[in-house]
Amino acid sequence: MVNIDFSKILLHPKRVVEWLENGDCYPIYLEIGPTNACNHKCIFCALDWLKKGATYIDKDIMKDNLEEIAGLGIKSLMFAGEGEPLLHKDIGYFTHVAKKAGIDTSITTNGVLLSKRKIEEILPNLSWIRFSIDSGSPENYSLVHGTYSRDFGKLMENIKNAVDYKREHNLAVTIGTQFLVIPQNIGEATNLARRLKEIGVDNLQIKPYSHHPSSINKLDINFSEYNELEESLREFNSDFFKINFRRATAERIFQGPNYDKCYGLPFITVIDSKGDVIPCNLFYNQPEFTYGNLYKNSFQEIWEGEKRKQVIKKLNSLGTKHCRCGCRLDPTNRDLHRIKNPEPHDNFI
């Protein structure tokens, strides 16, 4: 088993020092939603509360800002967001621009729309791609993803095509997969691991469900039952196929945060399909907590602007009581909280 349950923030000491000295810095990582449209209706979707009329971020707006953010010290980005990124007709172009600008680029996708043409357009530009699968059989996949059962076979074919293309062209891209554990699919994990190892993907991430505070669904799992999965999956782990089991994430979800505010806000941000720059996925369609919009101002103007300062101040006053347990920033917040709140004997290293 491989442990990915840790914060990488301390691998960026210069940025942390900048934050400590100035109280702010530019992000290390962005999440970008090219569109809010989706071809699936997953029963676990954290954003089921959003009212959506399909929007697609403008090609030139995205290009100009990708080129700008590279010069601001932003190191990585993931195309994901409110919808399925492969539904944006320019997603291949976006990955090309990002890589050319020197940004480590990734995509999270359900993968059903990953045609051979899209594989050729996208894969050479990526550090990694992650397929959200969440089941090991067509029937259960149909239930969990809210789609046709035939999509499961199509997805397996697309993943195999991606693996073959990677090998044929000697690409460095990591082809990863994810299984979000909920009561409706917990018995499917070993079936999926077996299929994916045969196909030749690089890893399978087993992730516990965490309830989004605004979501209609509430699919909490028994963490003892979740942790028992680790042993049943151990046999599939090898030098070429890694099981990334998120045990520590499950523990943090169960415990809740041990910090009183989100220290990590300067290090990560989200750009949605309307061009809004927001703190995290709690704040889609909430103008009160929107830093600014890329159709009106550049990313640099937004990040250094007065509106963002006001939003950060407001979020700090609200604290973490309404936050999602086990969110992306949770491990980072724990490390930064520890740095900001020294304990006795910390100088004895």
Side-chain angles (χ1 to χ4, degrees), residues 1-2 4 123 126-131 133 159-160 162-167 170-178 192-193 195-205 236-244:
M1 298 290 183
V2 176
I4 60 171
L123 228 58
L126 300 181
S127 297
W128 54 263
I129 185 169
R130 181 180 299 140
F131 297 92
I133 306 176
I159 295 174
K160 186 179 186 307
V163 169
D164 290 344
Y165 188 84
K166 170 187 173 175
R167 291 173 175 170
N170 197 28
L171 300 179
V173 59
T174 297
I175 298 180
T177 57
Q178 178 173 290
L192 180 61
R195 282 177 177 265
L196 294 176
K197 187 173 184 178
E198 291 173 356
I199 289 173
V201 304
D202 294 303
N203 63 61
L204 169 60
Q205 180 178 166
F236 301 102
N237 205 53
S238 72
D239 291 340
F240 306 102
F241 178 66
K242 304 297 183 185
I243 301 289
N244 302 331

Side-chain angles (χ1 to χ4, degrees), residues 56-117:
Y56 300 83
I57 199 160
D58 180 77
K59 178 181 179 179
D60 292 331
I61 289 289
M62 190 80 273
K63 173 185 178 292
D64 292 346
N65 280 278
L66 286 173
E67 291 173 343
E68 181 192 49
I69 65 174
L72 298 173
I74 290 154
K75 298 179 181 296
S76 65
L77 64 85
M78 175 177 68
F79 289 109
E82 318 106 287
E84 168 51 54
L86 297 186
L87 279 169
H88 198 297
K89 65 183 178 64
D90 297 311
I91 186 62
Y93 175 72
F94 294 159
T95 64
H96 170 74
V97 172
K99 181 177 181 179
K100 186 177 179 181
I103 305 169
D104 291 341
T105 304
S106 64
I107 287 181
T108 293
T109 172
N110 63 46
V112 174
L113 302 175
L114 190 67
S115 64
K116 290 185 177 180
R117 181 180 62 82

Side-chain angles (χ1 to χ4, degrees), residues 245-259:
F245 193 84
R246 305 291 294 272
R247 177 182 284 269
T249 297
E251 292 173 357
R252 288 194 298 266
I253 292 171
F254 181 77
Q255 294 166 357
N258 66 347
Y259 42 88

Side-chain angles (χ1 to χ4, degrees), residues 26 58 73 91 141 159 181-182 216 240 305 309 312:
Y26 271 96
D58 180 77
I91 186 62
Y141 182 82
I159 295 174
V181 181
I182 56 176
I216 300 167
F240 306 102
K309 294 175 185 176
I312 295 290

Side-chain angles (χ1 to χ4, degrees), residues 127-345:
S127 297
W128 54 263
I129 185 169
R130 181 180 299 140
F131 297 92
S132 296
I133 306 176
D134 315 300
S135 186
S137 65
E139 297 76 19
N140 187 259
Y141 182 82
S142 174
L143 167 68
V144 171
H145 273 252
T147 188
Y148 300 106
S149 59
R150 63 175 178 266
D151 275 1
F152 184 78
K154 179 62 177 173
L155 173 57
M156 293 298 114
E157 178 185 351
N158 293 348
I159 295 174
K160 186 179 186 307
N161 289 339
V163 169
D164 290 344
Y165 188 84
K166 170 187 173 175
R167 291 173 175 170
E168 289 167 9
H169 294 83
N170 197 28
L171 300 179
V173 59
T174 297
I175 298 180
T177 57
Q178 178 173 290
F179 184 99
L180 181 72
V181 181
I182 56 176
Q184 288 86 344
N185 70 1
I186 194 167
E188 297 281 328
T190 54
N191 292 335
L192 180 61
R194 185 175 294 105
R195 282 177 177 265
L196 294 176
K197 187 173 184 178
E198 291 173 356
I199 289 173
V201 304
D202 294 303
N203 63 61
L204 169 60
Q205 180 178 166
I206 306 295
K207 184 178 179 181
Y209 168 89
S210 171
H211 180 251
H212 189 293
S214 299
S215 178
I216 300 167
N217 67 60
K218 192 168 178 61
L219 304 172
D220 294 331
I221 58 171
N222 180 296
F223 286 117
S224 296
E225 190 176 2
Y226 170 79
N227 287 334
E228 288 173 4
L229 274 178
E230 186 172 12
E231 187 58 37
S232 67
L233 291 165
R234 195 176 298 278
E235 65 175 285
F236 301 102
N237 205 53
S238 72
D239 291 340
F240 306 102
F241 178 66
K242 304 297 183 185
I243 301 289
N244 302 331
F245 193 84
R246 305 291 294 272
R247 177 182 284 269
T249 297
E251 292 173 357
R252 288 194 298 266
I253 292 171
F254 181 77
Q255 294 166 357
N258 66 347
Y259 42 88
D260 56 359
K261 64 180 180 179
C262 187
Y263 294 97
L265 288 173
F267 298 94
I268 292 178
T269 199
V270 173
I271 298 172
D272 74 10
S273 58
K274 298 187 296 296
D276 286 336
V277 183
I278 59 177
C280 72
N281 66 18
L282 289 180
F283 301 106
Y284 286 119
N285 295 348
Q286 296 190 44
E288 181 184 3
F289 294 101
T290 299
Y291 296 153
N293 185 276
L294 296 179
Y295 288 83
K296 299 177 181 178
N297 299 98
S298 70
F299 186 88
Q300 183 173 11
E301 290 170 337
I302 291 168
W303 200 257
E304 296 179 3
E306 188 61 32
K307 175 71 185 298
R308 177 175 165 268
K309 294 175 185 176
Q310 294 172 3
V311 171
I312 295 290
K313 185 177 180 180
K314 187 177 297 185
L315 291 174
N316 285 339
S317 69
L318 289 173
T320 58
K321 59 182 177 293
H322 299 299
C323 289
R324 184 179 190 175
C325 291
C327 76
R328 185 184 301 279
L329 271 173
D330 185 45
T332 293
N333 277 324
R334 291 171 188 266
D335 280 350
L336 297 177
H337 174 76
R338 186 72 176 79
I339 291 171
K340 295 285 283 187
N341 297 275
E343 296 182 4
H345 313 308

